Amino acid sequence: MPRAHGPAIEAQLRLHGPRTALQLAEALGVSQPTISRAIASLGDDVVRLGRARSARYVLARPLARAGDRWPLHRIDADGRPHTLGELRALHGDRFQFTSTAPRPVLLQGEFRDGLFPGLPWFLDDQRPQGFLGRQLAHRVAADIGAVDDPLRWTPDDIVLCLLRYGDDAPGDLVLGDTALQSALQHALAPQTIDATQRQTHYPILADAALRGEIVGSSAAGEQPKFAIILRDGDSHRPVIVKFSERSGTPAGRRWADLLRCEHLAAAALRAHGQPAAESQVFEADGRVFLESTRFDRTPALGRRGFVSLAALDAAFYGHGRIDWWRFAPLLQRDGWLDAADAQRLAVLGWFGTLIANADMHLGNSGLHLADAAPLALVPAYDMLPMAFRPASNGELVARDYAVVLPTPEQREPWQTAAVIALAFWSAVADDPRISVGFHAIARGAHETLRRALDRLR
């Protein structure tokens, strides 16, 4: 009787994870047709992965009170929703994604049959992280039965959070109908502030963010920030706004300098043909505010896809940390980037190094996620001389600027980056809003880098 073998099959799948019909037949000492009939009798409790003789079977599992499967949606640049497929929870913290159409970027390599050992890599950047992510986690942890620290969340915790509160995560993906409905409703009646009222509203929003209130999305990054939509007449502009401490302390003044440096770095990149996030700087209530237009949102309140290099690396490479100029040729080799964007990533990697950006992890760059490769590199963001940030206790520690020199094969992107970095350091040294102490740092860095570039020309 097929049903008689059902419990034994379930036990095998719980113990060993995905199994083929042949493996199950050998383990239970029965024929493959018997296994096939028994699996059919188990219905939706067993999920089939792949086709024909290579097909594997795995147990489905419900997730809390949220069921075991959910639609995955995309909101396009015009704000229209599209269903990409279905995410399903499987035994052993695994997930299956079934696509409604061929999507070679999402399902390739070891993931071609839709099986993922944890949360699918293309959803990894949607998990709560950074300053705003910790605030969101603290607010919703009790509701989803998770601990306060999102770094300790399980994949199930993340999925529950996305299902209930994932309406405005980075990128264009939305998991589940509840979050999608919330996202669409917010686009119909967006909460905005008038662009002419930023000087008044930004200090209020900064104080609210520091009190732990959720202001905007769970965009990543440790710098205090909030996310809002600006209204300028009939147009809308989603932005992320970082802010400094009040400038009455040395640490506050240094963070104000660094935010201005981030604005100047983006301007230098754009002036030399390198796409970078559009930004503006404001002063209000003793703070400096850096407002950056979101490249994963559109004026129509639509969205653009995003995946960080960190998520891509974790899924397909496993470096953890790698210089961007070393990663770029690997991404080009494997079809993720075309030659032009691979070259641009290498230049950005060297530029960040030459402006003393000590925070060049893979989460600080990414690609516009789409169905087919190559993917487009997103505009540069979070580019600032973090080596000169205050220490954790607020002290300003003296640090020397040192030039990292290229290997012969990296000479061309290094030289391109060095020219842009010289323009950056010159702009910092000439900016009257930047402190005298940081002017001296900029002049020293400019002279050191100029000598290095002259020797390599």
Side-chain angles (χ1 to χ4, degrees):
M1 296 290 291
R3 289 185 179 277
H5 298 290
I9 289 174
E10 290 179 331
Q12 284 289 315
L13 296 179
R14 286 194 184 92
L15 181 62
H16 299 291
R19 300 276 95 181
T20 65
L22 177 59
Q23 289 171 322
L24 290 170
E26 290 176 345
L28 299 183
V30 298
S31 67
Q32 284 188 246
T34 299
I35 291 295
S36 297
R37 290 192 295 271
I39 288 175
S41 73
L42 292 171
D44 287 345
D45 291 342
V46 175
V47 178
R48 178 174 174 151
L49 304 169
R51 298 178 179 178
R53 294 188 178 184
S54 63
R56 294 178 294 166
Y57 298 91
V58 62
L59 282 179
R61 65 182 174 89
L63 194 157
R65 297 181 299 278
D68 66 357
R69 64 184 77 187
W70 316 275
L72 180 65
H73 306 288
R74 168 182 289 153
I75 297 177
D76 67 20
D78 295 319
R80 294 188 296 260
H82 308 268
T83 301
L84 299 187
E86 181 181 79
L87 184 70
R88 190 169 187 183
L90 306 175
H91 180 71
D93 287 337
R94 300 177 182 88
F95 289 87
Q96 178 197 33
F97 176 67
T98 305
S99 179
T100 58
R103 306 189 195 280
V105 161
L106 304 187
L107 301 175
Q108 62 173 290
E110 64 179 287
F111 310 121
R112 60 186 177 275
D113 61 2
L115 178 65
F116 295 87
L119 194 69
W121 62 270
F122 45 84
L123 291 176
D124 190 57
D125 291 301
Q126 296 207 331
R127 61 186 172 83
Q129 52 189 306
F131 177 82
L132 291 177
R134 288 195 303 274
Q135 292 180 319
L136 175 64
H138 181 73
R139 182 169 69 91
V140 308
D143 181 52
I144 64 174
V147 298
D148 278 355
D149 183 0
L151 294 177
R152 295 168 54 199
W153 280 13
T154 67
D156 285 7
D157 295 332
I158 297 170
V159 168
L160 284 174
C161 180
L162 294 180
L163 289 171
R164 299 177 191 179
Y165 305 102
D167 56 287
D168 193 24
D172 61 354
L173 302 180
V174 180
L175 183 62
D177 291 336
T178 298
L180 177 66
Q181 185 62 219
S182 180
L184 297 178
Q185 290 294 332
H186 289 162
L188 282 175
Q191 294 184 343
T192 65
I193 68 169
D194 192 288
T196 64
Q197 300 297 314
R198 285 174 285 190
Q199 298 274 29
T200 300
H201 286 283
Y202 279 6
I204 297 171
L205 292 172
D207 289 342
L210 292 174
R211 285 195 302 269
E213 298 177 22
I214 301 300
V215 183
S217 75
S218 58
E222 296 301 327
Q223 178 72 23
K225 63 175 67 69
F226 52 86
I228 57 166
I229 300 173
L230 293 177
R231 183 180 68 258
D232 189 0
D234 293 331
S235 65
H236 294 91
R237 185 162 60 90
V239 298
I240 290 177
V241 183
K242 296 181 182 180
F243 55 91
S244 71
E245 299 177 26
R246 289 189 171 87
S247 56
T249 65
R253 287 191 292 273
R254 177 57 56 85
W255 278 116
D257 286 340
L258 291 175
L259 291 181
R260 293 190 186 282
C261 284
E262 184 174 343
H263 172 69
L264 293 173
L269 286 166
R270 290 194 304 273
H272 288 80
Q274 301 287 333
E278 297 281 347
S279 62
Q280 298 183 49
V281 177
F282 301 89
E283 288 187 41
D285 194 29
R287 301 186 192 275
V288 168
F289 296 87
L290 176 69
E291 171 197 288
S292 298
T293 299
R294 293 183 65 166
F295 53 75
D296 65 338
R297 297 294 186 265
T298 71
L301 300 185
R303 306 188 180 188
R304 294 191 177 99
F306 172 77
V307 60
S308 70
L309 296 186
L312 206 62
D313 174 67
F316 297 97
Y317 297 93
H319 296 295
R321 292 192 72 93
I322 183 174
D323 294 325
W324 294 8
W325 60 83
R326 299 183 194 278
F327 201 19
L330 301 181
L331 295 173
Q332 181 185 353
R333 178 199 68 189
D334 296 337
W336 293 104
L337 289 177
D338 63 20
D341 271 345
Q343 180 75 357
R344 186 160 72 86
L345 180 59
V347 169
L348 288 177
W350 281 116
F351 174 76
T353 299
L354 296 175
I355 70 166
N357 187 355
D359 195 29
M360 297 282 290
H361 59 77
L362 294 178
N364 276 351
S365 186
L367 314 178
H368 281 301
L369 185 64
D371 291 341
L375 304 178
L377 191 65
V378 302
Y381 62 96
D382 281 354
M383 276 290 181
L384 65 162
M386 286 290 283
F388 298 105
R389 68 187 181 276
S392 58
N393 64 359
E395 289 190 56
L396 299 186
V397 179
R399 295 183 174 90
D400 293 330
Y401 172 81
V403 175
V404 178
L405 298 174
T407 57
E409 64 272 14
Q410 288 294 322
R411 184 168 178 166
E412 182 180 345
W414 184 93
Q415 288 178 321
T416 301
V419 170
I420 308 172
L422 280 175
F424 162 76
W425 286 122
S426 180
V428 174
D430 292 341
D431 193 319
R433 300 166 299 177
I434 287 178
S435 69
V436 172
F438 212 86
H439 279 163
I441 290 172
R443 287 192 295 269
H446 184 278
E447 178 60 21
T448 300
L449 179 56
R450 184 192 61 77
R451 290 198 302 267
L453 180 57
D454 287 346
R455 287 182 61 85
L456 288 177
R457 276 178 169 155

